[in-house]
């Protein structure tokens, strides 16, 4: 059994009209969500009122699907740049965390450090950076490249990128700013540090021209599950967003990350693992299944095949029989862990291409749960208490209704079981998640000899 004081962490993973590929066609969905700021204000405020730990926005720096016949039938072609959106949401919320994806492949560390430090100050300590390496071939072509950067190189760059960003976040010690009008001293020069980083991928002098944030650093989130991704997460991440199809996979990943974290000299409890969950909630099982089928019936076959092609590594499946088996696939230079997850799923359940795209049209490889509030809470509780998760990233099928269903029906069941908060106990994202505030490395270095 779990520690009785330990509670489930919850993120609201907000994707335009919802996570189902046909969500925009749902009669109750906000089809214009990709350019409707008020839509996101309403969702963030609902999640905050429900006491979610954070809202989360994924991102890519390109349109993932360039097949026009498919792209013109999805709502994925338009969405806000997430840091801009979260900065605006910071002004209309008070407590909920604000997490955004920013790629290490097509950005520079100084930009990322500066933007997230600013968001953390603006929000009063609620920001989080989802560190990813990008997986879409189309992104490369927006940044002077013909092909995507090789997978091993992306992760090597990401390791160094993280070191530079966190080093810049330690530019200012906590009490560096004096702002004494009488003496004229604005900051203590001895507590202001240039980074002077120079290595294989980056040369960054620093210092950062944004003050140290209320959290010390914004929370670092990671989402890779390949071998390289696991090791990067174990060394750097404080939260891991991940996709699992089975509880056994979730438990194996959970144990592996904790083991790797210890090998890196980290406290395994300093990492919160939050798999994505795609919940369809009904008062009865039949009602839940009917809600799901309503969405499934809205999938255009061209969209389904295109989605699967993108998710399985950017390999075009349109020339294969849709009711035939998944062909043998070459290793992708895109998302390796997601490709393997989908191949394993197809082989384990003997799925055709159509079967497989129908299976992932909602959750895209994450766990899909269709049921009553009680049965959904049962699964979340099992994964949480039996070593599969510290919390979950809730992937609402359509918005706003899917989020409303989870808040109105599943959260009361989790609270009845003592598994989720009724009120926030802190003000920062770190406090919500139970994560330690990182000490400034320069302060620590100065104080350690004294302590010895």
């Amino acid at each position: 059994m779990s520690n009785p004081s330990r509670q489930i962490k919850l993120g609201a993973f907000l994707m335009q009209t919802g996570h189902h590929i046909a969500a925009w066609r749902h009669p109750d969905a906000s089809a214009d969500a990709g350019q409707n700021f008020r839509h996101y204000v309403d969702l963030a405020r609902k999640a905050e009122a429900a006491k979610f730990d954070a809202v989360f926005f994924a991102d890519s720096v390109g349109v993932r699907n360039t097949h026009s016949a498919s792209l013109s039938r999805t709502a994925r072609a338009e969405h806000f740049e997430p840091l801009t959106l979260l900065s605006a949401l910071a002004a209309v919320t008070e407590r909920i965390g604000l997490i955004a994806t920013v790629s290490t492949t097509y950005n520079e560390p100084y930009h990322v450090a500066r933007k997230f430090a600013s968001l953390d100050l603006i929000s009063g300590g609620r920001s989080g950076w989802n560190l990813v390496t990008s997986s879409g071939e189309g992104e490369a072509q927006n940044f002077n490249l013909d092909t995507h950067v090789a997978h091993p190189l992306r992760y090597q760059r990401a390791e160094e990128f993280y070191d530079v960003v966190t080093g810049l976040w330690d530019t200012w010690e906590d009490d560096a700013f004096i702002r004494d009008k009488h003496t004229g001293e604005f900051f203590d020069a001895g507590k202001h540090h240039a980074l002077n980083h120079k290595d294989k991928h980056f040369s960054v002098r620093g210092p950062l021209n944004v003050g140290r944030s209320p959290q010390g650093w914004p929370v670092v989130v990671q989402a890779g599950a390949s071998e390289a991704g696991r090791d990067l997460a174990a060394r750097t991440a404080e939260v891991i967003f991940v996709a699992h199809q089975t509880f056994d996979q979730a438990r194996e990943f959970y144990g592996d990350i904790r083991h790797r974290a210890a090998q890196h000299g980290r406290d395994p409890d300093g990492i919160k693992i939050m798999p994505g969950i795609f919940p369809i909630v009904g008062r009865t099982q039949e009602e839940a299944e009917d809600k799901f089928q309503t969405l499934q019936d809205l999938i255009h076959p061209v969209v389904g095949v295109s989605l699967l092609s993108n998710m399985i590594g950017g390999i075009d499946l349109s020339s294969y029989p849709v009711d035939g088996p998944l062909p043998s696939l070459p290793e992708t230079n895109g998302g390796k862990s997601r490709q393997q997850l989908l191949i394993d799923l197809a082989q384990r359940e003997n799925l055709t291409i159509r079967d497989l795209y129908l299976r992932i049209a909602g959750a895209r490889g994450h766990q899909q749960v269709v049921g009553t509030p009680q049965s959904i809470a049962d699964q979340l509780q099992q994964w949480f208490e039996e070593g599969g998760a510290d919390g979950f990233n809730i992937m609402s099928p359509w918005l706003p209704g899917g989020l409303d269903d989870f808040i109105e029906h599943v959260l009361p069941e989790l609270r009845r079981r003592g598994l989720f908060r009724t009120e926030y106990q802190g003000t920062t994202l770190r406090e919500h998640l139970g994560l330690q505030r990182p000490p400034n490395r320069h302060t620590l270095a100065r104080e350690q000899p004294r302590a010895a």
Side-chain angles (χ1 to χ4, degrees):
M1 294 294 290
S2 66
N3 182 334
S5 65
R6 182 171 167 255
Q7 291 189 319
I8 288 173
K9 308 302 179 187
L10 290 179
F13 186 170
L14 303 180
M15 181 174 282
Q16 294 110 303
T17 56
H19 282 268
H20 195 281
I21 193 64
W24 73 274
R25 299 182 67 191
H26 191 284
D28 298 329
S30 300
D32 67 343
Q35 55 180 263
N36 185 342
F37 175 60
R38 295 306 312 177
H39 168 75
Y40 290 109
V41 171
D42 292 343
L43 293 175
R45 285 175 168 169
K46 283 181 180 181
E48 183 170 63
K51 315 306 176 189
F52 274 71
D53 293 88
V55 293
F56 165 58
F57 293 93
D59 190 41
S60 66
V61 285
V63 176
R64 291 183 184 273
N65 179 0
T66 56
H67 189 277
S68 59
S70 171
L71 182 62
S72 66
R73 295 179 178 274
T74 73
R76 301 289 195 251
E78 59 166 1
H79 57 88
F80 290 114
E81 189 285 314
L83 276 173
T84 307
L85 176 59
L86 287 182
S87 294
L89 291 178
V92 295
T93 58
E94 295 181 354
R95 304 288 279 278
I96 196 164
L98 306 165
I99 302 174
T101 294
V102 173
S103 168
T104 60
T105 308
Y106 302 116
N107 283 285
E108 289 294 318
Y110 197 92
H111 286 141
V112 172
R114 188 169 184 245
K115 290 175 182 178
F116 275 101
S118 296
L119 177 59
D120 213 47
L121 288 167
I122 289 168
S123 65
R126 296 187 282 138
S127 77
W129 169 36
N130 182 36
L131 183 166
V132 303
T133 64
S134 285
S135 59
E137 193 74 21
E139 294 177 86
Q141 295 162 12
N142 292 331
F143 292 88
N144 303 308
L145 297 172
D146 293 326
T147 59
H148 199 24
V149 179
H151 189 272
L153 184 59
R154 296 203 305 270
Y155 277 90
Q156 292 169 18
R157 177 184 166 96
E159 293 252 7
E160 189 178 337
F161 198 110
Y162 165 86
D163 291 338
V164 175
V165 169
T166 55
L168 289 169
W169 283 340
D170 277 349
T171 289
W172 303 92
E173 297 184 47
D174 287 315
D175 57 350
F177 287 99
I178 300 167
R179 301 187 183 96
D180 189 324
K181 293 182 179 181
H182 178 69
T183 65
E185 188 175 18
F186 193 77
F187 66 85
D188 183 339
K191 296 182 178 181
H192 174 233
H193 307 276
L195 182 62
N196 294 315
H197 174 95
K198 194 172 185 65
D199 209 332
K200 180 178 179 180
H201 299 282
F202 302 107
S203 177
V204 181
R205 178 184 178 273
L208 191 65
N209 60 351
V210 180
R212 186 162 165 85
S213 79
Q215 298 189 102
W217 301 350
V219 173
V220 178
V221 184
Q222 218 272 323
S226 65
E227 181 63 24
R230 289 185 184 213
D231 206 54
L232 177 64
R235 185 172 91 80
T236 66
E238 297 171 286
V239 175
I240 301 175
F241 292 155
V242 66
H244 296 307
Q245 280 291 305
T246 69
F247 171 65
D248 287 342
Q249 290 171 342
R251 184 163 53 185
E252 183 278 328
F253 181 87
Y254 192 93
D256 182 55
I257 289 294
R258 291 177 65 86
H259 174 71
R260 292 179 192 235
Q263 288 185 318
H264 282 290
R266 299 184 63 195
D267 178 3
D269 290 334
I271 302 176
K272 306 301 178 185
I273 298 174
M274 299 174 63
I277 296 288
F278 175 91
I280 300 273
V281 187
R283 288 166 293 184
T284 65
Q285 185 65 33
E286 182 181 18
E287 182 183 75
E289 290 171 1
D290 286 346
K291 285 183 177 182
F292 182 53
Q293 195 58 48
T294 295
L295 288 165
Q296 293 291 83
D297 290 344
L298 298 174
I299 303 169
H300 192 285
V302 168
V303 174
V305 173
S306 180
L307 170 68
L308 180 57
S309 297
N310 287 323
M311 293 298 299
I312 212 150
I315 298 163
D316 186 5
L317 298 173
S318 61
S319 63
Y320 294 93
V322 72
D323 291 312
L326 193 68
S328 296
L329 299 174
E331 184 178 6
T332 180
N333 185 38
K336 292 183 182 294
S337 62
R338 191 60 55 88
Q339 182 192 57
Q340 193 59 51
L341 182 150
L342 295 176
I343 291 172
D344 290 346
L345 174 61
Q347 292 176 344
R348 185 170 62 245
E349 300 189 18
N350 195 29
L351 303 179
T352 66
I353 288 174
R354 189 192 305 274
D355 294 334
L356 190 54
Y357 81 60
L358 286 171
R359 283 290 297 275
I360 69 166
R364 303 187 314 284
H366 293 268
Q367 178 68 5
Q368 184 170 282
V369 284
V370 180
T372 64
Q374 293 75 23
S375 67
I376 292 172
D378 286 344
Q379 176 166 324
L380 301 187
Q381 183 171 8
Q382 181 201 5
W383 284 38
F384 175 67
E385 292 187 340
E386 297 181 19
D390 296 298
F392 303 92
N393 217 10
I394 303 304
M395 304 167 63
S396 300
W398 77 98
L399 291 168
L403 181 62
D404 292 339
D405 281 351
F406 189 86
I407 290 171
E408 291 172 15
H409 303 294
V410 180
L411 284 190
E413 182 64 23
L414 292 175
R415 288 184 172 122
R416 186 183 67 78
R417 303 179 190 199
L419 292 171
F420 190 66
R421 68 166 67 87
T422 56
E423 291 294 340
Y424 290 117
Q425 299 302 308
T427 60
T428 70
L429 179 55
R430 288 186 175 279
E431 289 172 330
H432 299 340
L433 295 170
L435 296 170
Q436 294 296 312
R437 186 179 191 272
N440 183 286
R441 67 194 65 188
H442 305 289
T443 305
L444 200 60
R446 187 171 57 251
E447 291 177 348
Q448 277 177 336
R450 224 184 297 163

